[in-house]
Amino acid sequence: MKIKKEKKKIKVTFPHMGTIYIAWAVALRRVGVEPFVPPYTNKKTLSLGTKNSPEAICLPYKLILGNFIEAIEGGTDYVAMIASPGICRLGEYGSSIKNALKDLGYETNYIELSLYDGIKGMYKCAQDLTGKNNPFLFLSAIYILIRTIFVLDDLETALSYYRARELRHGDAEKHFNKGLKYVFEAKNIKELKRAKQKALAEIRKTEINPEREVLHVDLTGEIFLVLDYFSNQNIERELGKMGVQTRRSLTVGSFLKDAIIPKIFRKGETHLQRAFRMAKPYLMRDIGGDALECVSDVAWASEKGKDGIIHISPFTCMPEIMSQNIFPSMRENCNIPILTLIMDEQTGKAGYVTRLEAFVDLMRRRKRKEERGNREEKAFKPDLCFEKPEINEENFLKQFGYNESVYFDENYVEELTEVQKLIIKKYKKKVENFIQNPTKNKKQLNLGITPNLLIQAGLEQLPIETSTKIIDKVINKKHFVKPSTIKKLPKLLTKPIAVFKSKTQKNSVVVLLKAMDKENNPIMIVIDKNNTQQKYSVNFITSVYGKKRNWFKNLIKEGFLIKLNKKNIPSWLQDFGNPSDSVRVNKLNLVNAIPK
């Protein structure tokens, strides 16, 4: 009787980039392929890559080539490289590395995974590796790959939090590395979920000082250097020692949402969509690499009140050089410290750490100065000469069947950032130009980011946009809205009187503004929530016009009210029109403020 020999599994290796090797390993095992994990990138890897690379090529190329050489010498059957059709040199790296390995005399199988082919490209890669066509197996492998990447991103976020507050340096990272082993060993989704919980529980064992003064810094730049510990010289570890909690603006998970995951499964705005929106005042198109994302990340970090942002890029990377040259002009509008770091094989550790220490010291002194200024301003704020009468909320709620959640949170003060002010300034200018020189061509008009009060009413934090076609209809088609009011829309939206559900359109809301039309009727706007415009999501203004006061009263009675601004109701009613069609305002009773 012949004994059937078990077929030997092929070994496949991928280059290192942070913890991505774990996701590849989990997915490859799923399709019956043995993952070959080369030694983690080290000085030998860098030496091998540098020795066999063109002098002016960037650091990621040298490290990837070094990974492949070590993997081939270790016995791998396949080397798998990511390819990109974009305008970055990454698109040429695949063929360059393939030729370099051939010139060095390494006989190995080479396979490329095209990034922007999405799930189709990943499916084809699995076919090429296994020689099979098993849709269920391949799709389950792709699914667990994506889920593993998101798990790893969550663990990195947890590590950053605990590392900035740990009592003993290195504890959080030690627990984190132990947690990675749980994820590496996962074989299916059920085990992956269990591994994530065990890993997070392990990280939470870190003893921390919750009262420690922590700075919040974003990391952006070329994605390989942002994610890879060796190439960025463990920047997050060094910052953690200094009490800095980092956040990666670029992650593999955010890339998946843009390039791999189908649109129907995405929630909210993706990183690339935000990049096109927020980089507009400074960079109008994609120039390759991660330049567009980096420019937008600076604007976003400034808007979110981060303490600083660090831009990391490889030497000779043209897209990142371009983005670095845009940063100085951004400082005029973005109030945030920016540190740029350029990395190659010659970068020394001592000087690098010195620059980080100086930057952290600058951010900490700046933060303390701002906090001291805020305390002094609060302490010396003059008392008001009169008290504002309070609204009788109980009567209003009882009368119309609403609870206290119907009121906006009055503690939030909407403050426009410098970027927002710039966007609003451009909006006003475009409206003025359109009024003076009307054109039939439809143009998008950006009014800025959705204000906080509208977000409280259920809108997503997306840009608010409209078009010149809508403006033309509002001004010239008997909507009786003054051009001056159209110019003030961004400001009026920050302090709406009320927000209602639309009676006729499920995905729209009606926003009541503190403004009147030419016939002295209160103005409302209709916003279509999460509308797709030019391949990215926005809250789109579909109409602006005046309505009779009783119409709003009926909306309140019929239960369409979502949110109400207590502060704006009384002042708005004082300017509500002729006494003949409304009662005198009684600030002590909101019920009487509604016309009968």
Side-chain angles (χ1 to χ4, degrees), residues 11-27:
K11 297 178 182 178
V12 179
T13 192
F14 272 87
H16 280 293
M17 187 177 73
T19 57
I20 191 67
Y21 72 93
I22 295 175
W24 289 125
V26 171

Side-chain angles (χ1 to χ4, degrees), residues 58 60 84-93 115-116 220-226 250 254-255 258-259 271-272 275-276 283 285-297 311-314 316-324:
C58 69
S84 166
I87 44 182
C88 171
R89 285 185 295 183
L90 175 63
E92 304 299 324
Y93 282 2
L115 287 178
Y116 292 96
T220 190
E222 196 274 328
I223 189 168
F224 187 97
L225 264 70
V226 171
L250 292 153
S254 66
F255 170 79
D258 285 308
H271 188 208
L272 189 59
F276 276 105
L283 185 60
R285 62 179 290 269
D286 187 6
I287 58 173
D290 301 298
L292 191 74
E293 289 91 333
C294 293
V295 171
S296 71
D297 288 339
H311 178 265
I312 316 168
S313 63
T316 75
C317 180
M318 286 304 296
E320 301 310 324
I321 291 172
M322 295 293 290
S323 62
Q324 286 175 17

Side-chain angles (χ1 to χ4, degrees), residues 267-269 450 454-455 458-463 529-530 537 539:
K267 292 183 180 179
E269 187 180 38
T450 301
L454 294 186
I455 292 172
L459 277 73
E460 292 187 28
Q461 192 177 18
L462 298 172
K529 300 187 292 183
N530 208 349
S537 297
N539 293 320

Side-chain angles (χ1 to χ4, degrees), residues 1 36 38 58 116 131 147 192 224 315 362 409 451 468 517 544 580:
M1 182 178 176
F36 184 91
C58 69
Y116 292 96
R147 289 290 298 271
L192 181 64
F224 187 97
F315 183 60
L362 179 149
D409 181 4
T468 50
D517 67 5
V544 183
S580 59

Side-chain angles (χ1 to χ4, degrees), residues 44 97 139 226 280 299 497 526 568:
K44 181 186 175 183
I97 287 177
L139 291 175
V226 171
K280 269 185 180 180
I497 293 172
V526 181
N568 274 358

Side-chain angles (χ1 to χ4, degrees), residues 14 37 39 156 275 279 337 368 530:
F14 272 87
V37 181
E156 293 278 5
R368 288 172 180 170
N530 208 349

Side-chain angles (χ1 to χ4, degrees), residues 167-413:
L167 296 177
R168 290 182 298 275
H169 294 315
D171 273 9
E173 194 167 332
K174 181 181 71 175
H175 293 300
F176 170 76
N177 290 333
K178 189 174 179 180
L180 290 181
K181 293 178 182 177
Y182 300 140
V183 180
F184 184 82
E185 294 166 0
K187 297 176 183 177
N188 51 53
I189 294 297
K190 188 176 180 180
E191 289 186 12
L192 181 64
K193 289 179 179 178
R194 193 182 303 121
K196 179 183 177 181
Q197 296 305 319
K198 288 174 68 177
L200 288 173
E202 187 67 34
I203 295 171
R204 293 189 190 108
K205 291 179 182 178
T206 308
E207 293 184 34
I208 63 172
N209 175 14
E211 303 300 322
R212 185 179 185 184
E213 182 187 16
V214 172
L215 297 173
H216 295 267
V217 173
D218 279 7
L219 300 180
T220 190
E222 196 274 328
I223 189 168
F224 187 97
L225 264 70
V226 171
L227 301 182
D228 189 65
Y229 308 132
F230 180 82
S231 58
N232 64 34
Q233 299 202 15
N234 271 302
I235 186 171
E236 290 174 280
R237 179 193 294 167
E238 297 299 331
L239 290 170
K241 292 177 184 177
M242 303 173 199
V244 176
Q245 181 177 337
T246 56
R247 174 191 163 274
R248 297 173 178 178
S249 296
L250 292 153
T251 64
V252 180
S254 66
F255 170 79
L256 289 178
K257 291 178 181 177
D258 285 308
I260 305 295
I261 298 174
K263 289 182 180 180
I264 57 172
F265 298 116
R266 299 176 192 168
K267 292 183 180 179
E269 187 180 38
T270 67
H271 188 208
L272 189 59
Q273 288 171 337
R274 190 181 77 199
F276 276 105
R277 170 173 59 84
M278 299 198 76
K280 269 185 180 180
Y282 315 101
L283 185 60
M284 299 301 293
R285 62 179 290 269
D286 187 6
I287 58 173
D290 301 298
L292 191 74
E293 289 91 333
C294 293
V295 171
S296 71
D297 288 339
V298 172
W300 189 88
S302 175
E303 186 173 283
K304 294 300 178 182
K306 299 287 183 177
D307 296 309
I309 186 166
I310 298 176
H311 178 265
I312 316 168
S313 63
F315 183 60
T316 75
C317 180
M318 286 304 296
E320 301 310 324
I321 291 172
M322 295 293 290
S323 62
Q324 286 175 17
N325 280 275
I326 294 172
F327 293 159
S329 62
M330 295 185 71
R331 289 191 180 102
E332 297 176 6
N333 302 311
C334 301
N335 185 26
I336 187 171
I338 307 172
L339 174 65
T340 56
L341 297 171
I342 300 174
M343 312 295 292
D344 69 357
E345 64 272 17
Q346 305 296 332
T347 304
K349 185 80 171 180
Y352 176 76
V353 172
T354 301
R355 289 191 67 189
L356 290 179
E357 289 173 342
F359 186 63
V360 170
D361 185 53
L362 179 149
M363 290 188 293
R364 186 160 279 127
R365 289 156 69 111
R366 180 175 178 269
K367 186 175 183 179
R368 288 172 180 170
K369 184 178 178 181
E370 287 179 353
E371 289 174 350
R372 185 167 61 249
N374 291 337
R375 286 196 301 269
E376 290 173 358
E377 184 181 348
K378 189 175 180 181
F380 291 102
K381 191 173 181 180
D383 294 329
L384 296 173
C385 59
F386 62 93
E387 290 187 4
K388 210 170 184 178
E390 293 184 0
I391 295 170
N392 189 333
E393 300 174 24
E394 189 175 349
N395 287 351
F396 176 80
L397 298 174
K398 187 177 179 181
Q399 177 79 8
F400 298 106
Y402 295 101
N403 56 41
E404 292 183 1
S405 64
V406 80
Y407 294 116
F408 285 119
D409 181 4
E410 297 178 359
N411 295 322
Y412 185 90
V413 179

